[in-house]
Amino acid sequence: MKNKFLKLPIILFFIILFIFFYLLIIDRNPAKVPSALLNKNVPIFVTKTLVKNEKFSSSKEFGDQVTLVNFFATWCKPCKDEHAFIMRFSSEKNIKIVGINYKDNPKKTIEWLKKLGNPYSNVALDKNGKIAIDWGVYGIPETFIINSRGIIKYRHVGAITPKIYKKINLIIKEIE
Amino acid sequence: MAPTLGNLALWLSLVFAGSQFYNTRKKNKLKIISISVIGLLISSLFSFFLLIYLYVISDFSVLNVFQNSHTTKPLFYKITAVWGNHEGSMLLWIIVLTIFNYFIFKLYNKKNFIFVSKTLEIQSFITLGFIVFTILTSNPFERMVPVQENGLGFNPILQDPALAIHPPLLYIGYVGFSAAFSISVATLVLKNGKNFPWYKYMKPFVMVAWTFLTIGIALGSLWAYYELGWGGWWFWDPVENASFMPWLLGTALLHSLIIVDKKQSLQAWVLLLSILAFLLSVVGTFLVRSGILTSVHAFALDPTRGIYILLFIAILGGYSLMLFSSKSKIYSTKNYFNFFSKEGSILVNNIIMVVACATVLLGTIYPLLMEALTGNKISIGEPYYNSTVVPIMLPAILIMGVGPILSWGKESVLEIAKKVSSVFIITLAMTIIIFSIYKSYTFLGIAGIVLAFWIIFNNLTTLYRNKFNNLTGMVVAHLGVGFLMLGITASSIWQVEEIIKMKLKSETEINKYQIFFNEINEIKGSNYLSLRGDFLVYDKGKNIIAKLKPENRFYPVTGNFTSEASIHTNLFRDLYIVLGEGNINEGWTVRLYYNPLVVWIWIGAFTIFLGGVISINKSLKRMPK
Amino acid sequence: MLNNIFKVIISILLIQINMSNCNAVEPDEILNDPKQELRARKISKNIRCMVCQNQSIDDSNSSIARDFRILIRSKIQEGSEDKEIYKFLVERYGDFVLLKPPLKSNTVALWFLPFIFLVIGILVILNHNKKSN
């Protein structure tokens, strides 16, 4: 009796090992967390814009066309690294690109954008990181793709790499 | 030259381990086996000492030294840096394996040739596995070109005596269970294992492993307590769980061995436990090192290491568990215990330890299983363990108070009540006294304090009554658990915290102590710069009790900042102070903690260690000659 | 490159550290009302710092943990219940943000297995005890 009873734990043992094996070989980053906001509406918020210090209202900005939202800051190095890709999106694609400037100095940001080019049709200010929390952001740069009905379809944490660039292109094509 | 020699020695140890495996398997002559065993010991020690030498002379032509050392590092930390990284620690793991291997070899006598040979065969297989792993995936002697002028140093937060010496202690623990594993497998392979006193051979190894694992874990948590800066000392981190799981099983194993030794029952159970204890040690190593839990993949590191260890676990686990399921039958006896007896209490504790261990394992791997199966990610942190493992462990501690004074066989409830009545009264009195001082009541708090005094006084009276006998080790260890409980409970329920901005020459108060911020200075350490605050602590009568000097250090080599807490300890409380950020105008953030009775955690751990050492000594004397 | 290797090595060290200068709750965050502050601390202890290994936002000195703490406190001051605050965070960060996973269909095993282990254990003991009488 005891021996039969023991077979189960042995099978379980191997199943767990197999799951570990699976996790090791798949392309996975243990530090990344899937977004809870996928397929949900864009969070509603109101803030100021970077350039003219005007009112920025999320309900007006999102939901009329496919939009790429990029959380960035001048003090964040990966943001600088990925900037070229954002520029490419703005020149190659017919989408709206909104930047959200995370915990930054507006003056510095304006200069930064002058130097590196400004791909954003509008930049919203997130002075204390509250908007970022609303979006479930935890590590900038982060990029979101929003469809024309204002629903979040994709989210990427970290700098855009050539691989992610291709992926985003595909997603834009899909939802357009 | 030296790196090549080191590499050569490592390869040589591979050859010796292979030859030990072959010769013990073929049951060749003792002389041939002894050459392999001693050769293995010497060659692995030699390669280890060569690596230490390379660190001492800062030979940056070796990648491992370059990555983990720096010329400005004090000599002591150059040496301990050897095992402060993955590759070097694997080498340490190997030498501990070969040392235990040597001690198994020393078990040979006229009557046990087959048994010890089998054990050595298994042990050499394990050793082979780790040597191959080290050579293939983690060779510490790997060279690098071009040779750099200086190394990358290593994380200054690790530059600490308690942390520096705790890995070797932990490894003695993990690897000690390898000997128990080998003995267990060898016993199962043997035909007449049932009548062979294999458990007498196993016991000292388990004692050593468990004792050192205990002190290793304790030093790790002591380090966390004073280094991580908020008075916590246990975080249910996967790294901690990896050492805690084998400890729990080791505790169960240790106690079951007493029953086996006395009554020859529970043999199958002990064989299983000793297999699982070592498997869990390796699984823990896998979880910590494979990067499956942390973001190693972010740097596109190949998963070979993890896959190798996994394969090794599959072989070891698959073989030993199958063997157990087919051979264990002859070891299981229909021997039933009375609940109110020594063996009954040990059995109950055993079950609780195993259940607790299973729960910790569940909590550690559940997020991984869930991610693989559903793609969702969850976190399992302290609150989960506090609401599962802690209540599971409480009854074990209650029983621990009574267990040792119960007799073998059967005991009447009345008899027990008589034995413990005086202790019961003292416990009650002490609890009332202590709660009248601290005046904060929670269910867990009261339970913890009652249990702590319960264990302390039960064991103190036993110690007093029995003088020094062969139970002393156990009683001392149990007393240590009582102290530990006292420290854990008191510091977690009565901690007082104060976080404020303090300007120079200002004053604050924490639990009847006045803290005066006297001055702040820049000082230069051996390889760091530091901002040090000077705080004066006054008691109610305005007497200076202590000068506390918390520091904020900056290590230019790695660009790290660390914060060094300053602690004033006595038997009743710790005053713990951490300096935060700030400047002369606005003042500095200061964190003050009043941690009651916290020192008893480490007094307790050390007492357990002491009890362990006494018991090791005893069990060595009882080895079959 | 070497720097990256170094980071890898550090991250797979025996002891994983992700806190350099440990300053969790800062004095300017603390609420005046001790009752509200206590609630905030209690919630903070159950919320995971998203960028840390295994730390609550109460223990972490990362800037995002600080944002979380401030947010929780402002929600408390606005009169939010604890439940609403948890819900707010879970909606944005998923269950990952909770250090104590909620009981759901996918965590049933997590919460009930320890109990089942215990029951099996008790059965083993009872089995042993009964037959001896």
Side-chain angles (χ1 to χ4, degrees):
Chain A
M1 185 212 117
K2 197 163 188 177
N3 295 346
K4 269 185 206 157
F5 188 64
L6 259 165
K7 292 240 162 70
L8 188 72
I10 295 177
I11 294 166
L12 207 67
F13 173 75
F14 278 105
I15 290 175
I16 291 174
L17 289 190
F18 183 77
I19 291 174
F20 286 169
F21 178 72
Y22 167 75
L23 285 173
L24 278 177
I25 55 168
I26 56 167
D27 186 25
R28 141 183 193 273
N29 180 354
K32 273 191 187 164
V33 187
S35 175
L37 285 171
L38 276 188
N39 296 320
K40 288 200 181 139
N41 283 318
V42 171
I44 296 163
F45 63 95
V46 176
T47 179
K48 290 279 161 66
T49 62
L50 172 74
V51 187
K52 292 181 185 152
N53 208 27
E54 290 168 340
K55 191 176 161 190
F56 180 101
S57 165
S58 64
S59 49
K60 280 185 190 156
E61 290 287 334
F62 307 112
D64 48 351
Q65 57 168 311
V66 175
T67 312
L68 184 149
V69 178
N70 180 240
F71 281 82
F72 74 102
T74 58
W75 47 261
C76 129
K77 202 189 159 287
C79 298
K80 201 171 172 181
D81 297 342
E82 71 162 13
H83 199 74
F85 287 110
I86 310 279
M87 290 298 286
R88 276 175 72 180
F89 282 126
S90 97
S91 58
E92 293 164 8
K93 291 271 158 184
N94 186 24
I95 52 166
K96 187 172 176 181
I97 299 181
V98 173
I100 297 180
N101 189 216
Y102 178 77
K103 288 189 179 174
D104 211 343
N105 176 338
K107 266 189 195 162
K108 263 192 192 164
T109 312
I110 291 172
E111 258 169 51
W112 194 77
L113 289 175
K114 259 184 203 160
K115 214 170 86 190
L116 299 172
N118 184 356
Y120 307 111
S121 63
N122 205 350
V123 177
L125 294 178
D126 181 15
K127 272 207 175 120
N128 49 20
K130 258 196 167 163
I131 298 169
I133 292 183
D134 245 356
W135 284 70
V137 165
Y138 63 87
I140 63 159
E142 286 199 20
T143 306
F144 294 79
I145 307 289
I146 293 146
N147 73 7
S148 51
R149 273 171 296 148
I151 290 167
I152 297 173
K153 296 309 278 186
Y154 177 78
R155 179 244 199 135
H156 174 72
V157 182
I160 295 172
T161 57
K163 203 171 132 198
I164 298 296
Y165 175 76
K166 274 182 204 152
K167 202 170 172 185
I168 291 178
N169 270 327
L170 276 177
I171 286 161
I172 292 172
K173 218 178 253 170
E174 227 168 73
I175 59 176
E176 252 177 350
Chain B
M1 182 63 191
T4 320
L5 265 180
N7 213 355
L8 201 70
L10 194 56
W11 278 96
L12 204 61
S13 60
L14 179 73
V15 173
F16 280 121
S19 113
Q20 181 186 325
F21 182 71
Y22 176 80
N23 287 310
T24 45
R25 200 174 167 76
K26 291 276 168 232
K27 309 221 165 36
N28 282 337
K29 280 194 184 120
L30 193 58
K31 224 175 203 163
I32 305 172
I33 296 173
S34 73
I35 291 170
S36 314
V37 171
I38 292 164
L40 175 59
L41 180 69
I42 291 173
S43 57
S44 63
L45 278 177
F46 186 61
S47 77
F48 183 68
F49 284 119
L50 274 173
L51 189 63
I52 292 180
Y53 170 74
L54 291 172
Y55 268 85
V56 170
I57 62 160
S58 293
D59 185 339
F60 297 126
S61 73
V62 178
L63 182 65
N64 191 252
V65 181
F66 166 71
Q67 280 167 347
N68 301 294
S69 194
H70 195 271
T71 46
T72 60
K73 228 198 277 231
L75 179 67
F76 177 71
Y77 293 113
K78 276 184 186 162
I79 295 171
T80 59
V82 172
W83 53 79
N85 63 83
H86 169 73
E87 288 83 357
S89 69
M90 283 323 296
L91 205 52
L92 178 65
W93 186 288
I94 291 170
I95 68 147
V96 181
L97 266 172
T98 60
I99 291 169
F100 273 107
N101 186 58
Y102 178 73
F103 283 121
I104 297 173
F105 167 74
K106 293 297 271 181
L107 296 178
Y108 269 125
N109 64 27
K110 277 170 197 150
K111 282 173 265 170
N112 62 13
F113 181 77
I114 295 173
F115 168 73
V116 176
S117 297
K118 199 74 207 169
T119 309
L120 281 175
E121 181 192 326
I122 313 293
Q123 188 73 12
S124 61
F125 181 75
I126 298 170
T127 314
L128 264 176
F130 279 99
I131 296 177
V132 172
F133 173 68
T134 306
I135 290 177
L136 286 184
T137 72
S138 331
N139 193 333
F141 296 105
E142 206 170 298
R143 307 297 283 265
M144 67 173 279
V145 267
V147 178
Q148 302 290 318
E149 267 198 16
N150 215 330
L152 295 173
F154 89 134
N155 199 336
I157 204 165
L158 307 177
Q159 197 160 308
D160 175 90
L163 192 72
I165 59 166
H166 102 291
L169 298 171
L170 280 180
Y171 290 0
I172 294 175
Y174 295 146
V175 176
F177 287 127
S178 77
F181 176 90
S182 301
I183 289 173
S184 173
V185 172
T187 307
L188 286 167
V189 174
L190 281 189
K191 285 196 182 75
N192 61 343
K194 180 93 169 99
N195 303 313
F196 185 81
W198 53 271
Y199 41 86
K200 286 205 165 78
Y201 292 105
M202 187 190 278
K203 205 171 170 190
F205 289 105
V206 173
M207 290 296 323
V208 169
W210 181 87
T211 304
F212 282 88
L213 196 55
T214 307
I215 198 73
I217 294 172
L219 281 178
S221 73
L222 175 63
W223 168 82
Y225 173 70
Y226 62 67
E227 188 69 35
L228 300 187
W230 67 96
W233 45 270
W234 187 261
F235 308 98
W236 296 103
D237 191 83
V239 183
E240 289 171 323
N241 291 350
S243 59
F244 190 48
M245 290 186 286
W247 186 87
L248 285 169
L249 283 196
T251 310
L253 180 55
L254 194 79
H255 288 89
S256 312
L257 273 167
I258 301 171
I259 301 186
V260 176
D261 202 0
K262 196 89 183 175
K263 302 212 135 188
Q264 277 76 50
S265 56
L266 282 190
Q267 293 205 20
W269 174 244
V270 167
L271 290 169
L272 181 63
L273 273 182
S274 47
I275 289 171
L276 292 180
F278 182 60
L279 282 183
L280 267 186
S281 300
V282 187
V283 169
T285 313
F286 165 78
L287 289 174
V288 174
R289 309 250 178 133
S290 64
I292 200 166
L293 291 165
T294 52
S295 46
V296 171
H297 265 207
F299 304 101
L301 208 78
D302 70 317
T304 354
R305 276 181 192 167
I307 291 175
Y308 185 98
I309 306 183
L310 209 55
L311 200 70
F312 194 54
I313 295 172
I315 295 171
L316 284 183
Y319 174 68
S320 58
L321 293 176
M322 305 262 204
L323 185 72
F324 179 81
S325 76
S326 64
K327 294 283 186 68
S328 66
K329 215 165 194 175
I330 55 163
Y331 297 92
S332 39
T333 39
K334 299 262 178 278
N335 217 344
Y336 296 105
F337 307 145
N338 190 297
F339 184 79
F340 292 102
S341 66
K342 188 168 264 179
E343 56 269 42
S345 71
I346 290 176
L347 184 70
V348 173
N349 259 17
N350 248 286
I351 299 286
I352 292 172
M353 292 299 154
V354 174
V355 170
C357 176
T359 308
V360 177
L361 182 65
L362 183 71
T364 313
I365 65 172
Y366 199 85
L368 289 172
L369 303 185
M370 185 149 145
E371 190 190 337
L373 298 176
T374 69
N376 292 328
K377 281 196 174 187
I378 54 164
S379 307
I380 296 176
E382 209 176 323
Y384 172 78
Y385 297 100
N386 283 347
S387 52
T388 52
V389 180
V390 173
I392 290 173
M393 295 281 278
L394 281 181
I397 290 156
L398 177 71
I399 293 163
M400 216 185 88
V402 211
I405 51 173
L406 296 177
S407 341
W408 296 98
K410 198 175 174 178
E411 181 121 46
S412 79
V413 184
L414 199 72
E415 204 58 36
I416 302 170
K418 254 190 215 162
K419 273 186 188 170
V420 298
S421 57
S422 56
V423 171
F424 188 73
I425 292 163
I426 304 175
T427 301
L428 219 59
M430 276 307 286
T431 308
I432 291 168
I433 290 171
I434 203 157
F435 272 94
S436 68
I437 297 173
Y438 288 104
K439 294 193 184 77
S440 159
Y441 314 91
T442 58
F443 171 72
L444 271 184
I446 295 172
I449 294 292
V450 169
L451 289 180
F453 283 125
W454 173 246
I455 296 166
I456 291 171
F457 290 115
N458 264 316
N459 286 293
L460 278 180
T461 45
T462 315
L463 205 59
Y464 174 76
R465 239 185 255 139
N466 295 353
K467 303 290 182 289
F468 196 89
N469 65 12
N470 57 11
L471 288 178
T472 306
M474 176 206 73
V475 177
V476 169
H478 282 185
L479 185 64
V481 178
F483 293 154
L484 184 72
M485 278 289 291
L486 184 67
I488 291 174
T489 316
S491 64
S492 42
I493 59 174
W494 294 318
Q495 185 188 55
V496 182
E497 181 192 57
E498 177 88 36
I499 303 169
I500 48 161
K501 211 85 182 173
M502 273 181 97
K503 287 187 177 173
L504 267 182
K505 306 288 175 198
S506 70
E507 214 175 44
T508 185
E509 201 183 81
I510 187 162
N511 207 295
K512 292 167 197 160
Y513 293 99
Q514 299 283 330
I515 315 284
F516 180 71
F517 190 177
N518 190 32
E519 53 185 58
I520 195 153
N521 296 305
E522 270 178 45
I523 54 169
K524 204 169 179 283
S526 56
N527 56 357
Y528 59 86
L529 300 165
S530 143
L531 199 62
R532 192 177 71 186
D534 273 33
F535 293 82
L536 303 174
V537 181
Y538 298 92
D539 66 2
K540 264 188 282 180
K542 296 278 167 206
N543 307 308
I544 292 192
I545 303 177
K547 281 184 186 171
L548 292 175
K549 294 175 178 173
E551 288 180 41
N552 274 337
R553 287 186 186 169
F554 174 66
Y555 289 79
V557 176
T558 49
N560 288 61
F561 288 92
T562 70
S563 163
E564 303 288 316
S566 178
I567 307 167
H568 183 253
T569 303
N570 67 27
L571 287 181
F572 299 102
R573 52 103 194 104
D574 274 16
L575 281 175
Y576 186 115
I577 184 165
V578 186
L579 187 66
E581 278 164 38
N583 54 50
I584 203 98
N585 296 323
E586 289 166 34
W588 276 264
T589 299
V590 175
R591 257 157 249 277
L592 288 156
Y593 295 91
Y594 171 86
N595 292 326
L597 304 175
V598 73
V599 72
W600 289 94
I601 294 175
W602 294 287
I603 293 178
F606 189 76
T607 311
I608 298 172
F609 175 72
L610 200 70
V613 172
I614 296 170
S615 301
I616 292 170
N617 198 25
K618 187 193 89 190
S619 65
L620 282 176
K621 280 183 189 148
R622 298 192 35 151
M623 288 271 268
K625 286 273 149 51
Chain C
M1 175 61 193
L2 276 173
N3 203 21
N4 272 2
I5 295 175
F6 181 58
K7 277 183 199 152
V8 175
I9 301 296
I10 286 295
S11 68
I12 51 180
L13 272 179
L14 319 177
I15 314 296
Q16 271 136 1
I17 288 99
N18 37 38
M19 35 229 142
S20 50
N21 198 348
C22 277
N23 289 322
V25 180
E26 288 287 330
D28 58 351
E29 296 169 15
I30 296 172
L31 299 176
N32 290 327
D33 180 348
K35 256 190 193 159
Q36 290 186 338
E37 175 63 21
L38 203 69
R39 269 177 63 202
R41 295 298 296 269
K42 223 174 161 182
I43 297 173
S44 303
K45 286 200 164 74
N46 288 320
I47 298 295
R48 178 183 182 137
C49 159
M50 294 293 289
V51 294
C52 311
Q53 198 59 245
N54 186 33
Q55 268 182 313
S56 72
I57 54 169
D58 197 57
D59 295 334
S60 169
N61 65 329
S62 71
S63 84
I64 186 163
R66 181 176 153 90
D67 291 346
F68 270 57
R69 289 193 301 264
I70 291 171
L71 180 97
I72 289 169
R73 282 172 174 77
S74 73
K75 291 239 173 240
I76 287 178
Q77 281 182 314
E78 284 163 15
S80 297
E81 294 290 317
D82 292 6
K83 259 190 193 165
E84 291 165 356
I85 297 172
Y86 285 122
K87 197 175 153 238
F88 176 89
L89 290 171
V90 169
E91 273 171 2
R92 280 150 187 84
Y93 290 91
D95 287 341
F96 186 78
V97 81
L98 302 173
L99 280 171
K100 188 174 179 172
L103 183 60
K104 280 186 174 178
S105 61
N106 57 11
T107 53
V108 168
L110 178 70
W111 284 107
F112 283 99
L113 274 177
F115 185 69
I116 292 168
F117 295 151
L118 202 63
V119 169
I120 296 174
I122 290 170
L123 286 179
V124 172
I125 295 165
L126 287 182
N127 194 34
H128 268 271
N129 192 37
K130 198 173 65 194
K131 293 194 180 162
S132 69
N133 289 338

